[in-house]
């Protein structure tokens, strides 16, 4: 059982983050927000995939002008996922010039590193915080390694250079991230924003740096924390790096909301980052989203193509069915399903699952025993094993889980 780091609970639209609330999955669109229809379509895809908060870029007048229409259209389609505005450089002006945008958003993301420069920084930061207070909106103070306030870094490097035993440049940079976030949060509170309206993030692109920074943040504050390895990369590299970083922190009880920042494949599905975030939380035992499938990797004892297709079909069937199941049955997301390839570990794993199927292995005709709650209940044969097993899963759910 993981003991969560104690943080303030922040209400973001209809979603609670921090405190005793479940760890929340969020994502971000990559559409031009001025493209109203394209942005609505992608938000719906992300929300339907399980993103509980969706962030959009608000970088110019055209995008700010579209925000209230986007939110209104989402509500008409029964999508109430909180929409967060991501602001850089000109957020103070856009929020002031487009009050309907400021009202429609559920949260503002402010980057202290580029909210303003030199003597303009504090004034423009204050302007955004005052807008949040006026509209009763929470704020994420999101510091990023790639856009860290150069003045903060320079000052801390100078101070470090005067020490008898100076720290490494990496250590100073990590400390600068934490100082920037916490000093900005303190300034927001001094302006009048309550601590339970503030979320903090300090994003870096290297696993060990992220772990060091968030351990430090957790020791030095009680703000709700958003986790994410920024610029994580593409494909397996991005998935592995994000999992290594965030799973380590989550298992220490650090983190209240997460995002997996994957670079999509060309024309790839943006929802992959949502699925990976859910799987990180589910495999670490922190939340359940869809029935878990236990399947073996296959070896020389399995008829690889047949087994691989069966495992893929069952996995897709479960994920695609969950939007309907979760509205009808309590606890179905906690179900365990086994899809195994041969007789070595297949029957044993199938018995440990709520429902499991085990193929006989290479060179044998497809004869697949099915185990339900540890007992063999059927043997499937022939060309329709996949469909018959899916039907058995559906019947098991109808008999086992209480209706909503």
């Amino acid at each position: 059982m993981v003991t969560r780091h104690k943080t303030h609970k922040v209400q973001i639209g209809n979603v609670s983050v921090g405190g005793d609330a479940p760890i929340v999955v969020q994502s971000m669109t990559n559409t031009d927000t001025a493209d109203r229809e394209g942005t609505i379509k992608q938000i719906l895809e992300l929300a339907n995939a399980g993103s509980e908060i969706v962030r959009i870029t608000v970088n110019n007048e055209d995008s700010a002008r579209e925000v209230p229409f986007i939110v209104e259209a989402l509500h008409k389609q029964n999508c109430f996922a909180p929409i967060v505005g991501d602001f850089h450089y000109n957020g103070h002006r856009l929020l002031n010039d487009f009050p309907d945008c400021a009202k429609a958003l559920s949260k503002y993301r402010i980057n202290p590193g580029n909210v303003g420069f030199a003597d303009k920084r504090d004034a423009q930061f204050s302007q955004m915080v005052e807008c949040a207070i006026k509209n009763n909106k929470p704020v994420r103070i999101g510091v990023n390694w790639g856009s860290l306030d150069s003045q903060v870094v320079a000052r801390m490097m100078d101070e470090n250079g005067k020490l008898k035993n100076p720290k490494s440049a990496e250590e100073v940079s990590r400390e600068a991230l934490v100082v920037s976030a916490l000093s900005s949060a303190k300034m927001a509170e001094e302006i009048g924003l309550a601590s339970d309206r503030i979320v903090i993030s300090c994003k870096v692109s290297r696993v060990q740096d992220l772990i060091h920074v968030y351990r430090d943040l957790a020791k030095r504050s009680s703000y709700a924390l958003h986790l994410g390895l920024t610029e994580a990369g593409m494909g397996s590299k991005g998935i592995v790096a994000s999992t290594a970083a965030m799973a380590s922190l989550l298992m220490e009880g650090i983190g209240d909301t997460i995002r997996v920042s994957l670079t999509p494949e060309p024309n790839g599905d943006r929802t992959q980052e949502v699925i990976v975030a859910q799987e990180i939380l589910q495999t670490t035992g922190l939340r359940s989203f869809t029935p878990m499938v236990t399947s073996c990797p296959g070896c020389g004892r399995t008829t690889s193509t047949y087994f691989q297709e069966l495992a893929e079909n069952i996995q897709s069937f479960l994920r695609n069915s969950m939007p309907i199941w979760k509205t009808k049955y309590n606890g179905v997301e906690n179900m365990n399903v086994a899809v195994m390839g041969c007789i070595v570990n297949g029957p044993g794993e199938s018995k440990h699952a709520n429902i499991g199927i085990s193929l006989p292995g290479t060179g044998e005709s497809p004869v697949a025993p099915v185990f339900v709650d540890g007992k063999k209940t059927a043997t499937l044969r022939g060309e329709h094993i996949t469909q018959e097993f899916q039907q058995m899963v559906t019947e098991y759910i109808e008999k086992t889980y209480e209706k909503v």
Side-chain angles (χ1 to χ4, degrees):
M1 183 70 177
V2 175
T3 301
R4 292 270 298 279
H5 170 62
K6 201 168 184 179
T7 60
H8 299 296
K9 182 183 286 187
V10 181
Q11 194 65 32
I12 304 169
N14 59 358
V15 174
S16 296
V17 169
D20 59 356
I23 298 166
V24 172
V25 171
Q26 62 177 277
S27 60
M28 186 176 182
T29 60
N30 62 355
T31 57
D32 180 353
T33 306
D35 173 10
R36 186 189 303 182
E37 296 307 317
T39 300
I40 291 167
K41 180 176 181 291
Q42 191 172 90
I43 291 172
L44 289 170
E45 290 170 351
L46 291 166
N48 289 336
S51 183
E52 294 157 303
I53 296 174
V54 180
R55 184 159 47 108
I56 62 175
T57 297
V58 187
N59 61 330
N60 53 38
E61 293 184 357
D62 289 338
S63 62
R65 192 175 289 113
E66 288 297 331
V67 167
F69 298 105
I70 290 169
V71 173
E72 181 182 17
L74 291 169
H75 289 177
K76 286 181 178 178
Q77 297 185 61
N78 293 315
C79 177
F80 298 96
I83 305 302
V84 178
D86 192 63
F87 294 98
H88 299 275
Y89 305 107
N90 58 357
H92 62 290
R93 182 175 59 79
L94 294 175
L95 287 171
N96 180 71
D97 293 350
F98 295 90
D100 288 343
C101 169
K103 291 175 185 176
L105 292 168
S106 296
K107 185 177 71 172
Y108 312 150
R109 186 276 175 105
I110 305 174
N111 184 341
N114 57 35
V115 70
F117 301 100
D119 57 345
K120 293 183 179 180
R121 178 193 177 278
D122 290 356
Q124 292 174 182
F125 179 85
S126 297
Q127 193 173 339
M128 294 187 74
V129 171
E130 286 165 358
C131 184
I133 295 169
K134 176 183 175 182
N135 290 291
N136 193 28
K137 307 292 183 181
V139 164
R140 170 153 76 94
I141 295 173
V143 183
N144 194 299
W145 191 286
S147 54
L148 187 57
D149 189 330
S150 58
Q151 290 179 314
V152 173
V153 177
R155 174 177 56 80
M156 294 183 66
M157 287 292 184
D158 286 343
E159 292 172 354
N160 183 63
K162 297 174 184 177
L163 297 176
K164 184 177 180 180
N165 296 304
K167 298 177 181 178
S168 69
E170 281 191 353
E171 289 176 297
V172 176
S173 295
R174 290 198 296 257
E175 175 66 9
L177 281 165
V178 175
V179 168
S180 178
L182 295 182
S183 62
S184 296
K186 182 180 179 182
M187 185 187 301
E189 287 197 65
E190 290 171 349
I191 294 166
L193 190 66
S195 58
D196 63 358
R197 304 299 280 162
I198 298 172
V199 180
I200 294 287
S201 69
C202 286
K203 291 195 172 184
V204 298
S205 56
R206 295 201 296 255
V207 172
Q208 289 299 328
D209 289 321
L210 192 82
I211 293 171
H212 279 295
V213 166
Y214 273 86
R215 283 175 176 167
D216 207 7
L217 276 174
K219 289 177 182 175
R220 294 161 63 174
S221 78
S222 297
Y223 296 112
L225 298 178
H226 169 68
L227 291 187
L229 191 74
T230 192
E231 291 94 37
M234 181 180 285
S236 59
K237 185 271 178 183
I239 293 171
V240 171
S242 294
T243 303
M246 288 194 281
S248 297
L249 290 165
L250 290 166
M251 293 306 290
E252 293 179 23
I254 298 170
D256 301 296
T257 173
I258 68 170
R259 184 204 170 192
V260 177
S261 300
L262 297 179
T263 304
E265 304 284 346
N267 301 312
D269 191 344
R270 189 70 167 177
T271 61
Q272 185 187 23
E273 68 175 52
V274 179
I275 294 169
V276 173
Q278 289 181 330
E279 289 177 345
I280 290 172
L281 292 176
Q282 185 144 352
T283 55
T284 51
L286 295 168
R287 283 190 71 181
S288 294
F289 296 94
T290 191
M292 288 285 286
V293 175
T294 300
S295 61
C296 68
C299 66
R301 290 185 294 269
T302 61
T303 306
S304 296
T305 301
Y306 189 92
F307 162 68
Q308 290 164 359
E309 290 175 351
L310 176 64
E312 181 182 32
N313 288 335
I314 297 303
Q315 180 88 39
S316 298
F317 168 71
L318 294 171
R319 183 165 285 281
N320 293 335
S321 299
M322 268 307 293
I324 297 173
W325 287 343
K326 70 182 181 182
T327 65
K328 296 175 66 175
Y329 304 102
N330 286 319
V332 66
E333 67 276 6
N334 297 310
M335 182 174 67
N336 290 313
V337 179
V339 182
M340 301 299 294
C342 78
I343 60 173
V344 175
N345 295 314
E349 287 287 356
S350 295
K351 289 177 183 178
H352 288 307
N354 296 112
I355 181 168
I357 187 168
S358 178
L359 293 171
T362 301
E364 300 180 44
S365 59
V367 177
V370 176
F371 297 82
V372 176
D373 291 330
K375 297 180 181 179
K376 182 179 174 182
T377 60
T379 300
L380 305 182
R381 296 179 172 84
E383 299 178 356
H384 304 293
I385 288 176
T386 299
Q387 294 83 353
E388 291 173 8
F389 183 67
Q390 289 174 353
Q391 181 59 36
M392 292 184 72
V393 171
T394 300
E395 291 172 358
Y396 177 83
I397 290 169
E398 291 172 349
K399 293 176 182 178
T400 305
Y401 294 96
E402 180 183 353
K403 289 187 177 181
V404 173

